[in-house]
């Protein structure tokens, strides 16, 4: 019985038995139904071994000693037998064989990729882990097992979140919160005794729409701000409005007066203009459990540290820390810099970056046991909003976040100043001059890291519309509509254009036919110089420019529709293209020593 007949008799198709030999990188036919398996390729009639590495020897009678040629001759003598997956090309002498170039018989086609490269990525998903790391508190959570669902704690934040976060055509904003609430054995020395917990450590993690980059924005707990009214869902399903509080520390947005994480999300939106889609919250135990589960996190100290408060005792140089040492490292505020919270934030960012690198290392990704322990510890430590409160939803979120290369993850901190109202400096206030441009960059989805992508290429093409001659203000003709949230925006803009910019041919057209998320300027090709002039006055980004295909006739005006991104007349709509000077930054791909 030949190979083909044997395959049909036992229900196996030989086409399904071509397997990759990891030692050679070749695909080989393996038939194991005649008793025993030698582990060698089967060289039966009617089958040839593709991608053989044996050289071809030429003779006067043609090619001899070539397994592929012999197999082909055998096949041609047995009509109806097909060899799966084979492609041939006629050579110059008309013979059909494998593609080749250079020395006779040498294949130019690359061998199939060995499974090692694919294995690493597969383990990440099948092992069940994706990590989100935070400040002194680390969070990991990619779950494929139903077991992990039972580990998660969830909070319904209502309208504070976004149920459509997995839309791949939009950026993702995740608020990571570390509380100082005392829970767990050994945590008596941290946080405020009897406290419901504050928003002690806070990072707004912004992932770009095209998933090429991310910005991790730390928000100081001692930032003085106004906490807005927020709705909190009660155990019976009803909603309670917690009144806002002006001029208090940011950390009071959580746990105080019955506020939940949704209130912290609302406060972040008030400060930055960025709406968090989801939140992840943990307490002190997370950093101890996760740093241990991952096998320790590498840190570097520029000087020795011996802190009697946190009990951190490390010499200068590199260390791998976990458990209590890891928590002490990220909680100490008297060992680095000026012994303040802002310097502690920098140390926490370094720890986070190192944790990310460790979680993406071969040592972690190739260990299913370590991955399982990490995922189990992470989900037990996590409290999340109901929008991502299942293993399946966390898996979907993890898949989106995993697309970002660590070299394109930038850590930064909200620019602040010492509170001028205090003699003893204990709190900080927003540095508006530096903070607003940074927030605008994040709102515009502009990376703090230089990134090459299709989106950037498209943005460059749009930005080109802003370049060229500009018309005089007196020659600009525009109709202004209000499609945004600011009442009376069209009239205030027209007044500003006429009185401050000299655009006398501007007209208030009141409300737009429909709401607009982004401000747009529609114009004809022969109005391009007018459009560029108006864009410069308004601070419009290239993406706002909507050039038509036919020229305008007579006194036809351009159409400016103000969107939700409009903040006020005279306030540029677009954020800067580059990070403002003196903005603190750290890269997740680079190791730094704590000073």
């Amino acid at each position: 019985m030949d190979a083909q007949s044997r395959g049909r008799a036992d229900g196996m198709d030989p086409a399904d038995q071509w397997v990759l030999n990891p030692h050679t990188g070749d695909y080989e036919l393996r038939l194991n139904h005649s008793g025993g398996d030698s582990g060698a390729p089967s060289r039966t009639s009617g089958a040839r071994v593709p991608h053989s590495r044996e050289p071809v020897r030429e003779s006067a009678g043609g090619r001899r000693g070539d397994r592929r040629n012999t197999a082909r001759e055998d096949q041609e003598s047995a009509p109806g037998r097909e060899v799966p997956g084979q492609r041939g090309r006629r050579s110059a002498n008309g013979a059909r064989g494998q593609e080749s170039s250079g020395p006779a018989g040498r294949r130019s086609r690359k061998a199939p990729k060995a499974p090692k490269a694919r294995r690493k990525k597969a383990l990440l998903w099948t092992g069940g882990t994706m990590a989100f790391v935070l400040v002194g508190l680390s969070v990991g959570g990619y779950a494929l097992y139903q077991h992990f669902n039972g580990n998660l704690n969830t909070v319904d934040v209502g309208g504070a979140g976004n149920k459509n976060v997995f839309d791949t055509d939009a950026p993702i904003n995740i608020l990571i919160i570390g509380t100082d609430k005392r829970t767990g054995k050994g945590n008596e020395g941290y946080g405020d005794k009897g406290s419901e917990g504050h928003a002690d450590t806070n990072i707004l993690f912004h992932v770009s729409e095209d998933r090429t980059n991310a910005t991790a924005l730390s928000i100081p707990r001692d930032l003085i701000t106004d906490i807005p009214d927020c709705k909190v869902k009660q155990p019976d399903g009803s909603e309670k409005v917690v009144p806002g509080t002006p001029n208090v520390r940011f950390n009071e947005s959580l746990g105080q007066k019955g506020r939940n994480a949704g209130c912290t999300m609302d406060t972040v939106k008030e400060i930055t203009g960025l709406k968090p889609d989801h939140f992840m919250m943990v307490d002190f135990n997370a950093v101890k459990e996760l740093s241990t589960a991952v096998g320790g996190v590498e840190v570097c100290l520029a000087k020795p540290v011996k802190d009697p408060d946190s009990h951190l005792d490390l010499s200068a140089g590199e260390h791998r820390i976990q458990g209590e040492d890891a928590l002490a490292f990220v909680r100490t505020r008297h060992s680095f810099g000026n012994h303040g919270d802002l310097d502690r934030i920098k140390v926490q960012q370094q720890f986070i970056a190192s944790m990310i690198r460790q979680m993406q290392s071969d040592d972690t990704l190739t260990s299913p046991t370590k991955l399982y322990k990490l995922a189990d510890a992470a989900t037990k430590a996590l409290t999340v909003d109901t929008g991502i409160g299942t293993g399946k939803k966390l898996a979907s979120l993890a898949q989106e976040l995993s697309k970002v290369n660590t070299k394109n993850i930038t850590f930064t901190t909200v620019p602040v100043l010492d509170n001028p109202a205090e003699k003893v400096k204990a709190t900080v206030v927003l540095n508006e001059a530096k903070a607003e441009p940074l927030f605008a960059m994040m709102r515009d989805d502009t990376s703090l890291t230089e990134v090459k992508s299709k989106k950037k290429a498209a943005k460059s093409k749009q930005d080109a519309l802003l370049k060229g001659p500009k018309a005089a203000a007196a020659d600009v003709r525009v109709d202004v509509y209000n499609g945004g949230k600011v009442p009376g925006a069209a009239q205030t803009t027209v007044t500003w254009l006429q009185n401050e910019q000299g655009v006398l041919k501007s007209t208030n057209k009141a409300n737009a036919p429909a709401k607009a998320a982004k401000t747009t300027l529609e114009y004809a090709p022969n109005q391009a110089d007018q459009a560029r002039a108006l864009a410069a006055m308004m601070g419009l980004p290239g993406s706002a420019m909507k050039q038509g295909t036919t020229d305008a006739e007579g006194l036809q005006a351009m159409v400016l529709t103000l969107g939700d991104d409009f903040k006020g007349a005279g306030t540029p709509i677009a954020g800067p293209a580059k990070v403002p000077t003196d903005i603190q930054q750290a890269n997740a791909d680079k190791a730094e020593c704590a000073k």
Side-chain angles (χ1 to χ4, degrees):
M1 182 181 295
D2 63 19
Q4 293 290 92
S5 300
R6 182 166 59 240
R8 287 191 298 270
D10 61 13
M12 296 292 292
D13 184 349
D16 295 330
Q17 300 175 56
W18 291 89
V19 298
L20 179 69
N21 184 331
H23 302 293
T24 65
D26 294 336
Y27 283 92
E28 301 170 347
L29 179 62
R30 302 211 176 167
L31 300 172
N32 307 321
H33 305 285
S34 58
D37 181 7
S38 65
S42 174
R43 301 186 183 183
T44 56
S45 174
R48 58 178 173 179
V49 181
H51 298 173
S52 170
R53 297 184 183 274
E54 292 186 14
V56 177
R57 296 178 175 82
E58 298 284 355
S59 69
R63 297 185 177 184
R64 303 185 63 81
D66 184 350
R67 291 187 303 176
R68 291 171 296 179
N69 200 53
T70 303
R72 177 174 55 80
E73 291 170 357
D74 291 342
Q75 181 190 2
E76 288 174 353
S77 66
R81 296 178 182 173
E82 297 181 359
V83 179
Q86 293 297 300
R87 291 185 180 180
R89 179 177 293 178
R90 291 198 178 276
S91 61
N93 62 6
R96 183 178 295 276
Q98 298 290 328
E99 295 181 44
S100 64
S101 62
R106 289 288 184 190
R107 293 180 295 105
S108 63
R109 183 180 300 168
K110 293 182 179 179
K113 184 184 293 185
K116 184 177 180 180
R118 293 190 295 268
R119 180 167 164 249
K120 180 176 178 180
K121 184 175 182 180
L123 276 174
L124 177 59
W125 304 124
T126 59
T129 297
M130 172 62 190
F132 308 98
V133 189
L134 62 116
V135 185
L137 312 159
S138 300
V139 176
Y142 173 66
L144 290 180
Y145 304 104
Q146 189 65 30
H147 162 73
F148 294 147
N149 286 338
N151 290 346
L152 289 166
N153 294 311
T154 61
V155 175
D156 188 346
V157 295
N162 178 7
K163 299 187 185 331
N164 195 32
V165 72
F166 305 124
D167 182 356
T168 56
D169 294 329
I172 300 174
N173 294 312
I174 302 169
L175 180 60
I176 303 173
I177 306 171
T179 77
D180 59 356
K181 184 177 181 180
R182 293 184 183 184
T183 58
K185 183 179 179 181
N187 295 325
E188 294 83 3
Y190 301 101
D192 297 329
K193 186 175 181 179
S195 171
E196 290 296 320
H198 299 79
D200 193 53
T201 297
N202 312 277
I203 294 181
L204 181 61
F205 196 68
H206 172 86
V207 183
S208 67
E209 179 181 327
D210 61 5
R211 309 299 188 254
T212 62
N213 64 90
T215 299
L217 178 71
S218 292
I219 303 172
R221 67 178 190 178
D222 295 326
L223 174 66
I224 296 299
T225 189
D226 295 337
I227 299 175
D229 296 349
C230 62
K231 293 181 180 180
V232 176
K233 185 158 288 189
Q234 303 300 296
D236 61 2
S238 63
E239 284 189 337
K240 173 186 176 182
V241 176
V242 179
T245 308
N247 204 38
V248 293
R249 279 181 167 89
F250 177 88
N251 68 354
E252 293 188 28
S253 63
L254 176 72
Q256 312 309 302
K257 300 184 178 181
R259 297 187 179 107
N260 64 14
C263 300
T264 309
M265 295 168 77
D266 287 343
T267 306
V268 169
K269 182 182 178 183
E270 284 290 312
I271 295 171
T272 66
L274 290 151
K275 177 182 172 63
D277 297 301
H278 296 283
F279 83 87
M280 296 180 177
M281 182 169 63
V282 292
D283 57 24
F284 293 134
N285 282 329
V287 68
K288 295 194 293 186
E289 295 170 357
L290 292 172
S291 61
T292 300
V294 81
V297 178
E298 291 186 357
V299 298
C300 177
L301 279 71
K303 62 181 182 180
V305 170
K306 190 168 185 177
D307 183 2
D309 293 327
S310 67
H311 307 295
L312 181 66
D313 188 357
L314 296 174
S315 61
E318 296 181 350
H319 299 269
R320 181 177 287 271
I321 58 177
Q322 60 183 341
E324 290 292 344
D325 283 341
L327 180 57
F329 180 81
V330 298
R331 293 298 302 163
T332 181
R333 62 181 298 171
H334 301 298
S335 303
F336 306 108
N338 296 322
H339 298 187
D341 191 53
L342 295 179
D343 289 298
R344 179 169 62 175
I345 286 175
K346 294 179 184 178
V347 172
Q348 291 169 343
Q349 290 174 348
Q350 293 168 18
F351 182 86
I352 293 169
S354 181
M355 175 76 92
I356 291 174
R357 293 193 298 271
Q358 177 63 27
M359 287 179 172
Q360 293 188 350
S361 68
D362 288 338
D363 183 50
T364 300
L365 296 182
T366 57
S367 172
T369 300
K370 188 175 290 186
L371 286 174
Y372 180 86
K373 288 181 178 178
L374 183 58
D376 195 42
T379 49
K380 285 178 179 176
L382 273 173
T383 297
V384 301
D385 62 279
T386 52
I388 53 173
T390 67
K392 183 177 180 180
K393 291 178 180 179
L394 276 177
S396 297
L397 180 59
Q399 287 176 324
E400 290 302 305
L401 300 186
S402 69
K403 297 174 184 177
V404 183
N405 192 310
T406 54
K407 70 179 181 180
N408 296 330
I409 300 176
T410 303
F411 291 91
T412 188
T413 304
V414 172
V416 294
L417 299 168
D418 286 336
N419 190 346
E422 296 176 336
K423 291 183 178 180
V424 178
K425 304 304 180 185
T427 61
V428 294
V429 295
L430 204 63
N431 184 339
E432 295 279 359
K434 292 183 178 180
E436 182 51 39
L438 176 60
F439 298 158
M441 286 187 71
M442 295 178 68
R443 290 194 298 265
D444 288 350
D445 205 22
T446 301
S447 174
L448 272 64
T449 306
E450 186 67 24
V451 179
K452 293 182 179 179
S453 65
K454 292 181 179 179
K455 179 184 175 183
K456 185 174 181 180
K459 183 177 184 298
S460 297
K461 185 177 180 180
Q462 279 295 116
D463 288 345
L465 298 175
L466 300 172
K467 299 176 181 178
K470 298 179 179 64
D475 295 329
V476 174
R477 188 182 298 273
V478 61
D479 291 339
V480 183
Y481 291 84
N482 184 14
K485 298 178 180 178
V486 179
Q491 181 57 54
T492 57
T493 298
V494 167
T495 300
W496 176 78
L497 285 172
Q498 292 178 349
N499 296 338
E500 302 292 333
Q501 303 297 317
V503 182
L504 302 179
K505 300 173 184 176
S506 53
T507 306
N508 172 19
K509 292 293 185 178
N511 291 332
K515 292 292 182 181
K518 299 288 186 179
T519 297
T520 59
L521 176 60
E522 300 172 66
Y523 61 97
N526 62 342
Q527 296 173 322
D529 57 341
Q530 295 182 49
R532 287 190 287 265
L534 186 62
M537 299 174 197
M538 298 284 299
L540 296 178
S543 59
M545 309 295 281
K546 307 298 179 184
Q547 181 174 286
T549 57
T550 58
D551 284 344
E553 298 181 0
L555 301 179
Q556 182 178 337
M558 300 182 296
V559 176
L560 175 66
T561 302
L562 304 174
D564 289 341
D565 54 356
F566 176 81
K567 303 301 178 185
T571 300
I573 291 174
K578 295 184 179 180
V579 185
T581 58
D582 300 327
I583 295 293
Q584 176 262 330
Q585 296 183 70
N587 189 275
D589 204 39
K590 297 179 181 179
E592 297 184 15
C593 292
K595 300 178 181 180

